[in-house]
Amino acid sequence: MNKLGRITLVILVVCAALFGGTVELQKSQGYTQANTLTLYNWGDYIDPALVKKFERQTGYHVSIETFDSNEAMYTKIKQGGTAYDLAVPSEYMIEKMRKANLLKPIDHHRLTGYQNIGTNFLNQPFDPGNRYSLPYFWGTLGIIYNDQLVKKPVTHWADLWSPDYRGQLMVVDSARDMMAVGLISNGRSVNSTNPVVLKAAKDKLDQMAPNVKAIVADEIKMYMVQNEASVAVTWSGEAAEMLANNPHLHYVIPAEGSNLWFDNLVIPKTAKHEKAAYAFLNFMLTPKNAAQNAAYIGYSTPNIPAKSLLPKSTRTNPGYYPSQKVLNRLQVYSDLSPTTVGLYNDLFLEFKMQH
């Protein structure tokens, strides 16, 4: 055997030992591949205490892998390298995955507590009859402002163009969401595919440019909590975390309407542990567990009995649990063609290049 062959053999032996050690450790803890549930989720999007509780109650081990975008999640599942048992895509991505035949239908007869989900969050266009997904969290796109730094409450998208906020506006680094702001401000659908309409929305955003302090993501929380910006475009769940750390912050859903988003649980086609997946779905449908998760994450729960278990200050806050009248003005994102997605991204990039 040559030197390279000996080195290769040593590497293989070490890898085998490490793998064997990992397997033995899992076995010593009562975990095997047969009783491990693999969850593909957004980062920090479930209360760790609930995961431990599920493991204790069911005997299943939960292995969590995370993603930072719907597109990254879609690519990984489509490649099929890892057999995820559950995943948490957003509404438009559920539609795309359904069309691509990447999901298993959900057997509603195996669910206990499905009736706990509010009818407002079921039978959406992206998944008619909820054949492929179960609501996990929902929320809105809106405006957060600091009452010490603005002259009056911010209640409309149009307010963001006010010269009062020159150099004071933080916006999310999201093409779909910021194009939605431009589209709604022009009285258009957030799912428009018309290039002329989309160009007009981008031109509207360009007029906002003098007010924009930065186009960022998680940094918005720091800027707003530390009183370094007066107004920002953000999501309801992110706003909840900011409000908890600064009593002068307020979150509003603009009167013109906004985006209503959903993150739902799905069972990928390659899932190997369906029994474990349904055990987890039923666990999360339990009101007490759903309420605990909502309290930890800060987003709105679609589980009506769970909502009743939350603090009154939370469940009566119109920013997180808006009235039916407000919900009726909200729009849900649809899956757009790659060409249209590319146009959204290109136009948003043009807007970003001004900063």
Side-chain angles (χ1 to χ4, degrees), residues 113-265:
Y114 181 72
Q115 71 279 3
N116 293 335
I117 304 298
T119 55
N120 282 328
F121 315 113
L122 298 173
N123 200 32
Q124 292 288 327
F126 62 86
D127 184 19
N130 288 88
R131 288 196 62 213
Y132 295 92
S133 70
L134 190 67
Y136 182 63
F137 280 121
W138 66 278
T140 58
L141 179 71
I143 299 170
I144 188 169
Y145 68 90
N146 188 315
D147 61 25
Q148 291 187 315
L149 302 177
V150 302
K151 295 179 180 178
K152 60 181 181 180
V154 182
T155 58
H156 297 273
W157 288 119
D159 294 339
L160 301 183
W161 279 262
S162 170
D164 291 342
Y165 306 128
R166 188 176 184 88
Q168 280 295 304
L169 174 64
M170 310 292 295
V171 301
V172 290
D173 189 5
S174 166
R176 193 74 189 267
D177 291 308
M178 288 310 300
M179 286 295 291
V181 173
L183 288 164
I184 293 170
S185 298
N186 284 343
R188 301 291 187 170
S189 166
V190 298
N191 296 307
S192 177
T193 59
N194 186 324
V196 175
V197 171
L198 295 176
K199 176 64 164 57
K202 197 277 293 188
D203 291 343
K204 181 72 174 178
L205 292 179
D206 287 344
Q207 297 168 25
M208 182 196 288
N211 289 0
V212 177
K213 183 182 182 76
I215 302 172
V216 290
D218 287 344
E219 296 89 339
I220 287 179
K221 288 184 280 192
M222 177 194 71
Y223 276 92
M224 295 304 295
V225 169
Q226 297 181 3
N227 302 316
E228 294 183 18
S230 57
V231 186
V233 176
T234 190
W235 300 282
S236 54
E238 298 289 288
E241 184 176 341
M242 296 181 232
L243 267 61
N245 291 288
N246 188 330
H248 295 288
L249 297 179
H250 307 269
Y251 178 77
V252 296
I253 302 170
E256 301 92 330
S258 188
N259 165 239
L260 171 65
W261 58 260
F262 296 88
D263 286 337
N264 287 13
L265 286 154

Side-chain angles (χ1 to χ4, degrees), residues 10-327:
V10 170
I11 292 173
L12 290 173
V13 169
V14 171
C15 288
L18 289 173
F19 178 76
T22 301
V23 171
E24 288 304 317
L25 176 61
Q26 287 186 332
K27 284 182 178 179
S28 70
Q29 296 174 333
Y31 302 139
T32 65
Q33 282 192 336
N35 70 348
T36 295
L37 171 76
T38 305
L39 172 64
Y40 200 22
N41 200 1
W42 300 87
D44 195 25
Y45 208 35
I46 186 170
D47 184 351
L50 276 178
V51 174
K52 295 297 183 184
K53 180 180 178 181
F54 173 77
E55 291 180 332
R56 288 196 306 270
Q57 287 188 357
T58 66
Y60 291 113
H61 171 59
V62 180
S63 173
I64 300 177
E65 291 191 26
T66 62
F67 55 87
D68 58 10
S69 74
N70 278 289
E71 288 68 29
M73 179 274 306
Y74 177 86
T75 299
K76 190 84 177 286
I77 288 181
K78 189 174 182 180
Q79 287 173 344
T82 303
Y84 297 109
D85 300 306
L86 287 168
V88 192
S90 301
E91 67 294 306
Y92 73 93
M93 189 54 68
I94 294 169
E95 182 178 0
K96 183 173 181 177
M97 296 174 78
R98 178 170 58 83
K99 291 176 180 176
N101 196 33
L102 294 177
L103 303 176
K104 289 185 178 182
I106 290 179
D107 183 355
H108 288 204
H109 293 100
R110 297 176 69 178
L111 298 177
T112 55
Y114 181 72
Q115 71 279 3
N116 293 335
I117 304 298
T119 55
N120 282 328
F121 315 113
L122 298 173
N123 200 32
Q124 292 288 327
F126 62 86
D127 184 19
N130 288 88
R131 288 196 62 213
Y132 295 92
S133 70
L134 190 67
Y136 182 63
F137 280 121
W138 66 278
T140 58
L141 179 71
I143 299 170
I144 188 169
Y145 68 90
N146 188 315
D147 61 25
Q148 291 187 315
L149 302 177
V150 302
K151 295 179 180 178
K152 60 181 181 180
V154 182
T155 58
H156 297 273
W157 288 119
D159 294 339
L160 301 183
W161 279 262
S162 170
D164 291 342
Y165 306 128
R166 188 176 184 88
Q168 280 295 304
L169 174 64
M170 310 292 295
V171 301
V172 290
D173 189 5
S174 166
R176 193 74 189 267
D177 291 308
M178 288 310 300
M179 286 295 291
V181 173
L183 288 164
I184 293 170
S185 298
N186 284 343
R188 301 291 187 170
S189 166
V190 298
N191 296 307
S192 177
T193 59
N194 186 324
V196 175
V197 171
L198 295 176
K199 176 64 164 57
K202 197 277 293 188
D203 291 343
K204 181 72 174 178
L205 292 179
D206 287 344
Q207 297 168 25
M208 182 196 288
N211 289 0
V212 177
K213 183 182 182 76
I215 302 172
V216 290
D218 287 344
E219 296 89 339
I220 287 179
K221 288 184 280 192
M222 177 194 71
Y223 276 92
M224 295 304 295
V225 169
Q226 297 181 3
N227 302 316
E228 294 183 18
S230 57
V231 186
V233 176
T234 190
W235 300 282
S236 54
E238 298 289 288
E241 184 176 341
M242 296 181 232
L243 267 61
N245 291 288
N246 188 330
H248 295 288
L249 297 179
H250 307 269
Y251 178 77
V252 296
I253 302 170
E256 301 92 330
S258 188
N259 165 239
L260 171 65
W261 58 260
F262 296 88
D263 286 337
N264 287 13
L265 286 154
V266 300
I267 303 177
K269 199 98 175 185
T270 54
K272 293 183 178 179
H273 307 106
E274 276 194 37
K275 188 176 179 181
Y278 279 98
F280 187 85
L281 293 178
N282 290 328
F283 178 83
M284 294 309 301
L285 281 168
T286 303
K288 185 177 179 181
N289 295 335
Q292 180 178 329
N293 206 30
Y296 175 84
I297 300 298
Y299 283 125
S300 305
T301 178
N303 190 307
I304 303 304
K307 176 186 170 184
S308 68
L309 299 176
L310 296 173
K312 184 177 180 180
S313 59
T314 299
R315 63 177 188 268
T316 59
N317 188 323
Y320 306 107
Y321 292 97
S323 67
Q324 189 61 50
K325 183 179 179 181
V326 173
L327 285 173

Side-chain angles (χ1 to χ4, degrees), residues 1-7:
M1 182 182 293
N2 59 28
K3 184 176 181 180
L4 178 60
R6 289 195 298 272
I7 293 173

